[in-house]
Amino acid sequence: MTPRISVWGITGLPEIAPRDDLVAIIAGAVTTQAATDPDLALQSGDILVVTSKIVSKSEGMQVPAAEREQAIAADTVRVVAERVHPGGNFKIVETRQGLVMAAAGIDMSNVPEGVALRLPADPDASARALCAGLRQRLGMNIGVIITDTIGRAWRVGQTDMAIGAAGLQLTDDLRGANDANGRPLHVTQAVIADEIAGAADLVKGKTTGIPVAVVRGMGRFVRDLDAPGARSLTRTGDDDMFRFGSAEAYRLGYEAAMAEIKAKSVKQDEMP
């Protein structure tokens, strides 16, 4: 059988407001779309990809635009890199959710004037709630990915990645298998969740008003609700080889060197 996947957007969703029932809204849009085109009716094994923006809106994560900097500070665990430019400070930070993003993922696109939007407080919990509710309402086994847009080191532009997930195997670990030429694979671990997120963004986009997409053909990765969420994909500790930006690494090296010089000076002063 020829490998194949299908990706399409869910149309007809309204503007989302705080406390809106996303399960009911998404399920209703899916049903309405399927009435027009039966081929777009959801099936078990389908994966719903949901833009984090509508999740944040429904969870009331809006803040006044004038308080954006305070919100960035509140959602920041550590500053990874910082650059000063004429418009202010540009920061890449690690967020409370374990993500490394510009401005803690807080932006002002696709929101009303004067409003900034924080990320969902717990994207994996949000994904589990959506997945459980939609499975129950629609009566089928589906997966859910919540996405956000992120830049990548050494690459121009942005792409979507999974920041929350439920009911899904997130990676395809090929370590120990052989490639097409029979050679053993030692490090290959495909991040299926991010690949699906990127594919879904091709039909969602940032200017179309389509915040939810369906990916079909990846049902082999759909799992129980207790499967690990997207936070399990984060590199931490010794696995994080790029923990600091260049300016921050230089500063830490300088401070370490100065501390060593000071320690040697104190030791010499104490010598008889």
Side-chain angles (χ1 to χ4, degrees), residues 211-228:
V212 181
V214 179
V215 176
R216 176 171 294 167
M218 306 294 287
R220 65 189 182 278
F221 294 106
V222 173
R223 296 289 185 269
D224 293 335
L225 283 173
D226 59 358

Side-chain angles (χ1 to χ4, degrees), residues 143-174:
V144 168
I145 294 174
I146 294 175
T147 68
D148 200 66
T149 304
I150 188 170
R152 291 93 16 94
W154 307 295
R155 300 287 286 182
V156 172
Q158 299 81 34
T159 187
D160 266 23
M161 76 169 192
I163 67 168
L168 196 68
Q169 177 183 323
L170 305 182
T171 66
D172 191 10
D173 192 346
L174 300 176

